[in-house]
């Protein structure tokens, strides 16, 4: 028997949810934690024999924490999956086996994700590999940060070899920009309130890949012409040029997203000083 339940957070995900749940058919305990969707999300979840629990959305960290602490799961481990992600067979098998064999001190497994755009895996321009703490032991992990959440584990963290598959453009490019417009507002608020020395530069050389990425991001926030640097980094340094047309377009879109953050930071700071925008 599997040691893993599946948690899917949703808000108006009728375009994605059926395929997501189908990719989790190996699991006998799938929970759709829904933010009061106005489309067919609930109907699709119930038709796929998933449990549906509803909670109004406030922010991503609070929603995940509520799902991790307020739901009765069948199994001691939970695999957190977004509706636009899929769980391939190799990840399902590895996650189930590792969770079942884990010692009591192991409380979280990180995994990587393959992002797809224009029919191909963005192996380079997406910034791959990025590690996500998605397989967690109930009661031993909490979530912080309103957007691009961070997972705080009360115990040992290990890593899986298999990947989640991510299809962020299933709802279209316009929706990607709509969603990242919201993300950029959250990131701008976080940047304004960020402590100057929140993370030490020494983390860049540590063993923890999440800490390295976090520190690099904090340092990059303070660099002039950051959006252009992000484009150069993804397209040339990370060899996004080898991802072809998809890599070029995605690198441009990421630079636009970073520009939105910077402009919104400028807006917030001017308003704080009582200046016109």
């Amino acid at each position: 028997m599997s040691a893993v339940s599946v948690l899917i957070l949703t808000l108006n995900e009728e375009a994605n949810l059926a395929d997501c749940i189908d990719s989790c058919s190996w699991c006998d305990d799938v929970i759709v934690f829904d933010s009061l969707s106005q489309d067919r999300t609930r109907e699709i979840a119930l038709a796929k024999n998933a449990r549906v629990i509803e909670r109004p959305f406030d922010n991503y960290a609070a929603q995940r924490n509520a799902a991790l602490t307020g739901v009765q799961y069948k199994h001691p481990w939970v695999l957190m999956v977004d509706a636009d992600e899929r769980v391939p067979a190799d990840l399902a098998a590895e996650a189930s086996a590792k969770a079942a064999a884990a010692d009591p001190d192991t409380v979280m497994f990180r995994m990587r994700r393959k992002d797809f755009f224009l029919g191909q895996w963005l192996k380079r321009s997406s910034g791959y590999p990025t590690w996500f703490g998605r397989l967690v032991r109930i009661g031993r992990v909490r979530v912080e940060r309103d957007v691009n959440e961070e997972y705080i584990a009360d115990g040992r963290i290990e890593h899986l070899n298999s990947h989640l598959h991510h299809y962020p453009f299933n709802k279209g490019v316009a929706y990607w920009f709509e969603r990242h417009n919201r993300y950029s507002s959250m990131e701008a608020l976080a940047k304004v309130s960020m402590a100057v020395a929140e993370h030490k530069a020494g983390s860049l050389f540590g063993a923890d890949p999440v800490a390295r990425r976090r520190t690099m991001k904090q340092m990059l926030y303070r660099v002039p012409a950051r959006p252009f640097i992000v484009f150069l980094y993804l397209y040339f340094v990370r060899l996004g040029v080898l991802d072809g047309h998809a890599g070029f377009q995605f690198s441009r879109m990421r630079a636009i997203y970073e520009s939105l953050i910077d402009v919104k930071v400028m807006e917030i700071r001017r308003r704080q000083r009582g200046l016109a925008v």
Side-chain angles (χ1 to χ4, degrees):
M1 178 180 291
S2 173
V4 180
S5 298
V6 168
L7 169 66
I8 308 171
L9 267 60
T10 56
L11 174 61
N12 297 329
E13 288 290 356
E14 66 179 8
N16 282 309
L17 187 57
D19 287 343
C20 180
I21 294 177
D22 285 345
S23 77
C24 300
S25 60
W26 50 272
C27 178
D28 64 353
D29 188 35
V30 176
I31 295 88
V32 171
F33 200 78
D34 186 58
S35 301
L36 307 181
S37 294
Q38 300 300 308
D39 63 359
R40 296 178 58 252
T41 293
R42 179 184 175 87
E43 177 184 342
I44 291 169
L46 293 174
K48 294 287 184 180
N49 296 316
R51 286 194 280 151
V52 178
I53 298 172
E54 295 179 318
R55 177 184 185 271
F57 182 85
D58 41 14
N59 63 66
Y60 292 98
Q63 200 75 349
R64 289 201 189 276
N65 282 324
L68 290 175
T69 59
V71 176
Q72 292 295 317
Y73 293 96
K74 185 175 180 179
H75 303 296
W77 288 83
V78 171
L79 176 63
M80 293 182 286
V81 183
D82 291 340
D84 60 359
E85 295 173 338
R86 308 291 177 260
V87 182
D90 61 337
L91 175 59
E94 185 183 13
S96 297
K98 290 292 183 69
D103 62 72
D105 292 331
T106 301
V107 301
M108 183 167 74
F109 287 92
R110 289 174 179 156
M111 62 197 69
R112 295 160 295 176
R113 188 170 70 180
K114 292 183 178 181
D115 296 301
F116 292 86
F117 180 42
L118 298 180
Q120 70 179 74
W121 172 26
L122 296 173
K123 184 176 182 179
R124 301 166 184 87
S125 52
S126 65
Y128 174 90
T130 300
W131 292 91
F132 301 87
R134 295 295 196 85
L135 181 59
V136 303
R137 191 189 292 272
I138 294 298
R140 301 292 298 277
V141 176
R142 71 181 189 278
V143 185
E144 296 182 353
R145 209 167 186 273
D146 292 353
V147 65
N148 294 326
E149 310 96 290
E150 296 180 358
Y151 297 85
I152 310 302
D154 176 23
R156 187 165 60 245
I157 300 171
E158 297 188 7
H159 296 77
L160 302 182
N161 293 318
S162 307
H163 298 74
L164 276 169
H165 290 182
H166 185 215
Y167 298 88
F169 295 96
N170 273 356
K171 291 185 177 181
V173 172
Y175 178 77
W176 187 93
F177 276 108
E178 175 187 332
R179 183 174 60 183
H180 281 74
N181 183 42
R182 297 196 303 269
Y183 291 169
S184 66
S185 297
M186 297 178 187
E187 289 280 10
L189 287 170
K191 182 178 177 182
V192 169
S193 62
M194 185 190 307
V196 173
E198 182 179 353
H199 299 293
K200 297 180 179 179
S203 298
L204 283 174
F205 309 102
D208 187 340
V210 173
R212 290 199 304 269
R213 184 172 184 268
R214 184 193 307 125
T215 301
M216 183 179 298
K217 186 174 182 178
Q218 300 291 345
M219 295 174 66
L220 185 60
Y221 267 152
R222 302 180 177 93
V223 175
R226 188 173 59 86
F228 181 61
I229 291 172
V230 168
F231 173 81
L232 294 178
Y233 174 72
L234 293 176
Y235 194 61
F236 293 107
V237 178
R238 297 303 298 267
L239 298 179
V241 62
L242 299 181
D243 287 335
H245 184 62
F248 176 70
Q249 295 298 343
F250 186 76
S251 298
R252 289 180 61 202
M253 292 162 68
R254 277 294 311 279
I256 292 171
Y257 170 61
E258 301 298 338
S259 295
L260 283 173
I261 295 174
D262 285 356
V263 171
K264 290 178 180 181
V265 167
M266 185 186 309
E267 175 188 17
I268 293 169
R269 288 175 173 163
R270 287 185 64 84
R271 290 191 187 279
Q272 287 176 341
R273 299 197 301 269
L275 302 175
V277 178

